Amino acid sequence: MLNETWKKLQNGSDIRGVALEGIEGQPVNLTPEIAMQIACSFGAWLSDKTGKLPSELTIAVGNDSRLSAEALNSAVTQGLSMIGITVINCGLCSTPAMFMTTVMEGYQYDGSIMLTASHLPFNRNGLKFFTKDGGLEKGDITKILELAQDKIYTRAGKLGEIRTIDFIQVYAADIVRKIRNKTGEEQPLKGFRIVVDAGNGAGGFYADQVLKPLGACTEGSQFLDPDGSFPNHIPNPEDKTAMASIQKAVVDQNADFGIIFDTDVDRAGAVDRTGREINRNRIIALIAAIAIEEHPGATIVTDSITSSGLKKFIETELGGVHHRFKRGYK
């Protein structure tokens, strides 16, 4: 059973804690040593789940732009190597990309760890875990923390290899390839001006490595450089200051569209050419309209907190079916 110290690190289906000092009343509880123990425990858990020896496993590790990222990444990779696992260090990456390391052809690693605390303040960090089946369940996280608390893992006689790759470049190229194949055009966004606001998180790649190759003009994009102190605004599409920033940029640049990401690029908001926010239910409505145009009568699956107005729009206006499901990655 978890004691209170370890229990505080669990945040549903992932792990979050205070990694840096700087905010009164928030003592550090996610140190590099703790992160190393958790990584070793994930390796032990994955070994048991897959039936493979640790020396037969390959796990990818990535991080967002947080100030504590480098220290925690080093601790996690060293910990996994210590128990014999081969580690693929992806460095600065996004959460969706880290999941793709487990399923993309030519990679298909046994598991992956993303170091992030999403949109939380600069002093926070955390760990998200993936296998080819998706994110872990709450019970899995509890089990991993129990293993970490009791240090139930074995140091290997031979260290696992640590390799470094630029996976975000691979991931971006795959997005471009898929869009080109779907549209049948080399530059389907030619003639469009699209502004990206990465909030100094991990999403800056999107402007130069996804939109530009597809033909878009991305001049006027802002806060693309990673900076874990988040000097301009909180990287959170639902934050009023952040949304006001991308709205202003779109209007000032006379852009056709704006996109704003959170720190680890698993959430986004959008802005139309007039500066109107397209977020939450509206962005799902926009995606649903595109999907149902291509697949008449399709079922649109959303999480459980979407509005009745969205359900009415999908079913009455678009002729689709709205199915609410559980929250979380799966």
Side-chain angles (χ1 to χ4, degrees):
M1 182 177 292
L2 289 175
N3 65 37
E4 199 61 32
T5 300
W6 288 91
K7 190 181 293 184
K8 285 180 179 179
L9 291 170
Q10 180 156 6
N11 181 62
S13 58
D14 58 38
I15 288 168
R16 288 183 183 172
V18 178
L20 292 175
E21 296 179 349
I23 297 182
E24 188 177 353
Q26 295 186 14
V28 172
N29 65 348
L30 184 60
T31 63
E33 181 183 0
I34 293 294
M36 179 182 285
Q37 288 178 236
I38 293 170
C40 291
S41 301
F42 174 61
W45 175 89
L46 190 60
S47 175
D48 182 66
K49 181 179 176 65
T50 60
K52 294 183 177 182
L53 295 171
S55 60
E56 298 172 322
L57 293 173
T58 301
I59 294 178
V61 178
N63 55 264
D64 66 20
S65 62
R66 291 175 176 276
L67 298 174
S68 56
E70 185 176 348
L72 294 187
N73 183 306
S74 177
V76 165
T77 55
Q78 294 299 324
L80 293 172
S81 172
M82 183 182 73
I83 63 171
I85 293 172
T86 296
V87 186
I88 310 299
N89 191 344
C90 300
L92 186 70
C93 218
S94 71
T95 291
M98 290 309 299
F99 167 66
M100 290 301 292
T101 65
T102 69
V103 295
M104 187 180 290
E105 187 174 349
Y107 298 88
Q108 297 172 321
Y109 304 135
D110 297 289
S112 68
I113 300 174
M114 176 65 181
L115 296 163
T116 182
S118 190
H119 61 278
L120 293 181
F122 77 94
N123 66 325
R124 301 295 184 114
N125 215 324
L127 297 88
K128 294 181 179 180
F129 306 95
F130 296 99
T131 70
K132 62 181 176 59
D133 297 319
L136 272 56
E137 302 285 359
K138 182 177 180 180
D140 299 324
I141 301 300
T142 301
K143 178 62 177 177
I144 289 167
L145 286 172
E146 288 174 346
L147 294 174
Q149 173 184 269
D150 299 328
K151 296 185 179 180
I152 304 177
Y153 46 82
T154 305
R155 183 186 291 267
K158 180 182 178 183
L159 295 177
E161 181 186 2
I162 299 175
R163 301 199 303 269
T164 299
I165 66 171
D166 184 4
F167 188 78
I168 201 68
Q169 187 174 9
V170 175
Y171 172 71
D174 187 60
I175 294 174
V176 171
R177 179 187 60 79
K178 287 175 178 175
I179 293 173
R180 284 173 173 165
N181 288 345
K182 186 71 173 178
T183 62
E185 298 179 43
E186 183 74 8
Q187 292 193 318
L189 297 179
K190 191 171 185 178
F192 287 95
R193 190 183 191 99
I194 302 175
V195 171
V196 175
D197 184 329
N200 301 113
F205 76 95
Y206 201 78
D208 289 338
Q209 297 186 50
V210 177
L211 295 179
K212 277 188 180 179
L214 293 172
C217 171
T218 60
E219 290 181 15
S221 291
Q222 57 189 18
F223 317 139
L224 303 183
D225 294 332
D227 183 341
S229 64
F230 309 133
N232 295 290
H233 61 68
I234 295 172
N236 180 4
E238 295 177 13
D239 178 75
K240 290 182 179 179
T241 301
M243 183 53 68
S245 180
I246 182 67
Q247 288 172 313
K248 183 177 187 301
V250 168
V251 173
D252 288 350
Q253 295 295 326
N254 195 28
D256 298 289
F257 198 61
I259 304 171
I260 181 169
F261 293 115
D262 73 342
T263 319
D264 59 323
V265 207
D266 64 353
R267 288 188 299 123
V271 175
D272 72 12
R273 68 178 62 200
T274 69
R276 181 177 59 174
E277 176 183 343
I278 307 171
N279 212 340
R280 302 184 125 187
N281 289 296
R282 288 178 180 171
I283 202 164
I284 299 172
L286 176 63
I287 295 167
I290 295 168
I292 292 173
E293 183 178 7
E294 296 179 353
H295 306 281
T299 297
I300 306 298
V301 182
T302 71
D303 68 17
S304 56
I305 63 166
T306 48
S307 70
S308 57
L310 177 66
K311 182 177 183 67
K312 181 179 179 182
F313 176 74
I314 290 171
E315 297 186 346
T316 303
E317 300 294 328
L318 301 180
V321 177
H322 181 207
H323 179 69
R324 288 188 177 96
F325 197 64
K326 302 173 186 176
R327 301 201 77 188
Y329 287 108
K330 289 188 178 179

